[in-house]
Amino acid sequence: MAVLRNQQTRQRDLLNVPVVGRFLRWKHARTSMQAVLLAVSALILYDGFWGPQLAPKNLAGVLPWVHWRGFVVLALLIAGNLFCMACPFMLPRRLAKKLFPADRPWPTFIRSKWLAIGVLLVFFWAYEAFDLWASPWLTAWVALTYFVAAFAIDGIFKGAAFCKYVCPIGQFHFVHSMVSPLEVKVRQPDICGSCPTKDCIKGRYGPVAEPSLRHSGTSRNPDERDKPRQAQVSHLLRHSRESSPRAGARNPSSDEQRPQAGMREVTKSPSQPARSVAMPAGLQLVQSGCELWLFQEGKVGNMDCTFCLDCIQACPFDNVGIQLRAPTSEFRRLDQWHSGVGTLVKRADVAALVFVLVFAAFVNAFGMVAPVYVLEQWLATQLGVTSEPVVLGILFIVGLVALPFVLVTAAAWSSRALVGGNETLAATATRFSFAFIPIALGMWLAHYGFHFLIGALTVIPVMQSFLADFGVPILGDPQWELAAIVPEAWLVPLELLLLELGVLVSLTAGYRIARSRQSSAARAIRCLLPWAVLIVALFFTGAWLMTQPMEMRGTILG
Amino acid sequence: MNFARTTCVIFIAILGALVLSACGPRAEQGGNLDVTVLSISPEPAAVGDAVITLQVRDIAGNPVSDATILVKGTMTHAGMQPVIVGTEARGAGKYVTEGFRFTMGGDWVIIVRATFANGATAERRIDLKGVQGEIKMGMKSDKPKDGN
Ligand code: SF4
Ligand code: SF4
Ligand SMILES: [Cu+2]
């Protein structure tokens, strides 16, 4: 049985997929992806600052707002947090880690998502208030601020403080990747149970200047190289079989496809992966452990995981994979303690983050249809305000804070009234917040997918004109008429399909969450009812938004 | 460490250069062309077919009547297919677009490109904000009154 289970786990592991797996195991896989995106960012910065200040003609207008947003939401749907994996802001950050001590602990009072929620709210507001999409120059400034912030914060603080506590893009990805089909996860828990190194969290230390023994590609004799590791894995498995009745009955080394070599004899250092720990003389960190403080043995789900693959590189037993899973499987584990995250149902800050993102999916799309202009005009007249940022500020506070708060409190209260129980309203709301992630992802996909599908090809003429400015004309005059990659008639049906998928998965997830606490299906349905009403209401709101003709306008108040 | 220090210096130098030179967006090049939109019909501009009448002059203020004028309508948001049409000369520097259409509500940018008889070209950009869209289903069909 265990053999079967293990085999299945291995088969559904992205690292075992022929070309992709090989690439992802490569030590420099992540750096190479980051380098590509860094080069693209450099183009965006250059064109944003110095190029034509007309968004459709500027790489800073096209690449971030049409392509990047489309790609990342699609990646979340079909794979996982691929943006963080290839994040270009990580390269300067790594440099900062090399240059500065980076040894301060992140202040305790902001070790939560609250700061990031604040940054997100400001970003969503600024996006509309200053029409970031219409200004390549401001877009370039936002990107530059990002680079500087990641550089400065991670130059001062330990680990990946920026990713975990500040970065709004990161939070967007952490939350929505909770319903992604891939998860970085241990393959055989038994091996972790008796693992002596815990390198996945602690990092791997090695002699200074000694080339890494790992990463097969370069060695000529894999069999020789694998011997120490195989011996160690066999030993561990034997040990765990003796101590645990449900331990794996198979020695994985026998069917290893791409074994990793090089067990290191490293003096064990304290459990923190930080660079500041005193390390034995002559040893240095050769591979970081998880800088987001997710210890594989207790890691559950995708929250806070940047898919950086450090744990995969660090684990001496090749015991971490990128595994396929059911998109709602995380919702069964909400009460479980998550390493580096805690127990999700106790994280009100995470729930607040989820709800802000859920409502932002709708408010962001609402910002692009005609009714919002009517509403803004009305609000401005009522309040006698002429400043658009102020009116938008009010709309955002209402749409992303007040309205969610009222609706969620009402749903939590009704849910409790329907089934009783002594859970606090906040705990109930936190528990059910996660059920809203699929509908939010559906909405982001519908909206950003729309921009991508109608505008994907616009990058061709923009690139042509960018190169022509440098005296390198390619394929003649820019082909400005290139734009959509699907016929316009497909758009609304496709968007509705994505939303429908979202609402179905949300309702399923909601039922799972309800059922886990209720003794019968009937009670679970009653408990879910108010939440289901809210989810379905969001669905109809989204569907209505999608059928509105989209508008693209910056100035609203006359 | 040496490598790191060098990279850092480069990084900071690039940052510095960016910050210094990015104090304001680059000015648009106007070209030696003076274009005025005389009228857009229907008025105010709204989604659908439209006729734009332009008055084209050179920098000396003389009407330009023998140029080939192309009108490109695009939006302030990237990722829209632009509308590119030709024009018909009506004499005395007046040109009328042929088959122009506002495909979406919102902020438009009209780019007028002139090719003169001697082969020289010039371009002019005119911002046209708040082209009116439609509101469907349930909302009042009143159009927002902000045709700015
Ligand atoms: S993932 Fe690898 S390094 Fe981490 S505890 Fe398990 S076996 Fe040890
Ligand atoms: S090291 Fe941490 S953040 Fe990176 S992939 Fe592994 S668990 Fe995720
Ligand atoms: Cu949009």
Side-chain angles (χ1 to χ4, degrees):
Chain A
M1 223 25 229
V3 175
L4 202 68
R5 196 191 61 224
N6 291 334
Q7 254 162 2
Q8 281 172 348
T9 318
R10 301 306 303 268
Q11 277 164 2
R12 296 206 230 99
D13 193 321
L14 191 63
L15 295 184
N16 294 338
V17 172
V19 179
V20 186
R22 199 190 167 89
F23 172 73
L24 290 174
R25 281 167 184 274
W26 178 40
K27 189 173 174 53
H28 302 294
R30 194 184 184 214
T31 315
S32 59
M33 289 186 278
Q34 290 166 341
V36 171
L37 280 201
L38 187 68
V40 175
S41 311
L43 289 181
I44 290 174
L45 287 179
Y46 181 87
D47 215 21
F49 284 132
W50 294 291
Q53 287 304 309
L54 179 59
K57 283 190 154 191
N58 192 299
L59 290 171
V62 178
L63 289 174
W65 305 124
V66 175
H67 296 80
W68 175 72
R69 293 196 303 190
F71 281 137
V72 296
V73 289
L74 196 65
L76 284 165
L77 177 74
I78 61 172
N81 187 353
L82 299 191
F83 174 72
C84 290
M85 184 189 242
C87 174
F89 309 121
M90 288 300 99
L91 286 174
R93 166 193 178 272
R94 247 164 72 192
L95 183 67
K97 291 267 178 220
K98 280 213 162 72
L99 288 168
F100 305 112
D103 56 357
R104 300 213 185 167
W106 185 251
T108 332
F109 73 99
I110 38 172
R111 268 188 213 172
S112 63
K113 299 292 185 194
W114 294 115
L115 176 65
I117 293 172
V119 180
L120 258 175
L121 288 173
V122 170
F123 174 78
F124 283 129
W125 166 79
Y127 175 79
E128 298 292 349
F130 304 112
D131 306 326
L132 296 184
W133 41 270
S135 170
W137 186 70
L138 286 177
T139 302
W141 268 111
V142 171
L144 186 63
T145 309
Y146 240 101
F147 277 110
V148 174
F151 184 82
I153 290 177
D154 280 359
I156 299 172
F157 298 102
K158 275 185 202 174
F162 179 75
C163 304
K164 193 165 175 124
Y165 300 116
V166 186
C167 177
I169 302 176
Q171 310 313 316
F172 180 93
H173 284 84
F174 296 153
V175 165
H176 294 100
S177 66
M178 286 182 82
V179 290
S180 291
L182 294 176
E183 177 181 336
V184 175
K185 189 162 131 189
V186 288
R187 291 168 165 167
Q188 291 177 275
D190 313 336
I191 295 184
C192 293
S194 35
C195 165
T197 75
K198 313 293 184 195
D199 281 356
C200 62
I201 183 78
K202 183 170 65 68
R204 176 154 37 89
Y205 292 82
V208 179
E210 190 226 34
S212 171
L213 292 167
R214 305 175 84 234
H215 312 298
S216 25
T218 50
S219 173
R220 295 250 168 77
N221 191 345
D223 298 333
E224 270 310 297
R225 212 190 45 220
D226 293 338
K227 271 191 182 147
R229 178 191 169 275
Q230 291 179 349
Q232 184 88 18
V233 170
S234 318
H235 167 78
L236 279 183
L237 277 181
R238 222 176 305 124
H239 175 83
S240 62
R241 263 200 300 279
E242 281 153 16
S243 57
S244 146
R246 57 168 284 280
R250 177 177 130 265
N251 181 341
S253 58
S254 57
D255 70 345
E256 272 298 313
Q257 295 173 2
R258 294 187 44 78
Q260 308 264 310
M263 268 303 302
R264 293 148 307 278
E265 264 66 70
V266 179
T267 322
K268 238 175 134 181
S269 50
S271 61
Q272 266 291 318
R275 290 156 40 81
S276 58
V277 292
M279 54 186 98
L283 291 188
Q284 69 170 10
L285 186 70
V286 291
Q287 169 63 56
S288 310
C290 182
E291 295 196 300
L292 282 288
W293 302 290
L294 309 175
F295 176 32
Q296 281 303 323
E297 221 181 320
K299 175 176 183 279
V300 181
N302 280 341
M303 177 50 72
D304 284 3
C305 176
T306 59
F307 273 56
C308 69
L309 312 189
D310 278 344
C311 50
I312 291 174
Q313 297 292 340
C315 173
F317 304 109
D318 192 20
N319 195 30
V320 187
I322 308 177
Q323 295 171 31
L324 199 64
R325 58 172 198 172
T328 54
S329 63
E330 258 186 59
F331 303 130
R332 282 188 227 125
R333 301 179 279 174
L334 296 175
D335 285 291
Q336 205 175 324
W337 182 81
H338 296 41
S339 162
V341 175
T343 309
L344 277 178
V345 289
K346 294 187 185 150
R347 293 279 309 261
D349 58 327
V350 173
L353 172 66
V354 170
F355 280 123
V356 164
L357 285 168
V358 169
F359 281 79
F362 295 86
V363 171
N364 190 249
F366 184 55
M368 300 198 71
V369 294
V372 77
Y373 311 117
V374 182
L375 180 63
E376 276 188 50
Q377 197 72 59
W378 175 83
L379 197 65
T381 321
Q382 295 300 308
L383 301 174
V385 179
T386 49
S387 149
E388 198 185 333
V390 173
V391 175
L392 280 168
I394 296 168
L395 277 183
F396 274 86
I397 297 279
V398 171
L400 296 186
V401 182
L403 188 66
F405 184 81
V406 170
L407 292 176
V408 166
T409 311
W413 185 85
S414 332
S415 176
R416 203 174 60 179
L418 284 169
V419 288
N422 52 3
E423 219 178 20
T424 61
L425 288 186
T428 309
T430 304
R431 185 179 296 283
F432 279 96
S433 66
F434 302 101
F436 288 79
I437 298 174
I439 180 91
L441 183 59
M443 188 65 206
W444 291 115
L445 271 161
H447 179 190
Y448 292 167
F450 163 86
H451 285 299
F452 181 71
L453 293 175
I454 62 162
L457 299 182
T458 54
V459 70
I460 296 173
V462 176
M463 202 66 208
Q464 281 182 305
S465 114
F466 180 80
L467 290 172
D469 284 352
F470 285 95
V472 195
I474 289 189
L475 305 171
D477 283 342
Q479 308 284 304
W480 292 113
E481 65 287 348
L482 289 177
I485 44 173
V486 299
E488 215 187 305
W490 293 15
L491 291 172
V492 173
L494 211 63
E495 288 161 22
L496 289 177
L497 194 73
L498 289 164
L499 261 183
E500 280 157 15
L501 198 70
V503 73
L504 284 180
V505 181
S506 268
L507 291 174
T508 315
Y511 179 73
R512 284 245 158 91
I513 292 169
R515 190 70 181 89
S516 70
R517 301 268 300 173
Q518 301 301 328
S519 52
S520 70
R523 279 180 66 82
I525 289 177
R526 258 190 293 155
C527 172
L528 173 66
L529 195 67
W531 300 106
V533 168
L534 194 48
I535 289 170
V536 171
L538 284 174
F539 166 75
F540 281 115
T541 310
W544 175 73
L545 286 170
M546 286 299 121
T547 49
Q548 290 295 312
M550 232 190 221
E551 292 199 11
M552 295 166 171
R553 93 161 100 170
T555 325
I556 290 135
L557 302 177
Chain B
M1 216 48 194
N2 230 346
F3 157 78
R5 198 152 293 168
T6 321
T7 332
C8 183
V9 170
I10 296 172
F11 181 64
I12 288 169
I14 294 175
L15 273 190
L18 279 176
V19 172
L20 283 181
S21 57
C23 297
R26 198 185 72 174
E28 283 306 313
Q29 50 193 30
N32 51 347
L33 197 66
D34 177 27
V35 179
T36 325
V37 174
L38 291 181
S39 69
I40 296 176
S41 86
E43 169 82 57
V47 168
D49 294 328
V51 176
I52 305 176
T53 309
L54 303 164
Q55 172 74 59
V56 181
R57 292 194 169 86
D58 60 19
I59 27 172
N62 307 314
V64 176
S65 295
D66 55 348
T68 309
I69 304 282
L70 272 187
V71 171
K72 178 170 138 183
T74 186
M75 296 192 73
T76 51
H77 195 297
M80 281 294 299
Q81 182 172 26
V83 181
I84 304 171
V85 299
T87 54
E88 195 190 284
R90 291 279 163 88
K94 265 191 199 151
Y95 294 84
V96 177
T97 58
E98 294 177 316
F100 191 88
R101 185 179 165 75
F102 290 111
T103 48
M104 187 183 278
D107 297 343
W108 282 74
V109 176
I110 308 294
I111 296 166
V112 179
R113 189 180 169 83
T115 308
F116 300 102
N118 62 5
T121 59
E123 225 175 66
R124 197 85 184 95
R125 168 181 160 175
I126 299 141
D127 289 344
L128 186 66
K129 288 188 170 162
V131 170
Q132 294 181 358
E134 338 145 56
I135 298 178
K136 280 191 194 166
M137 285 166 53
M139 294 287 294
K140 280 200 306 182
S141 62
D142 269 40
K143 286 176 177 167
K145 305 228 176 338
D146 67 292
N148 53 358

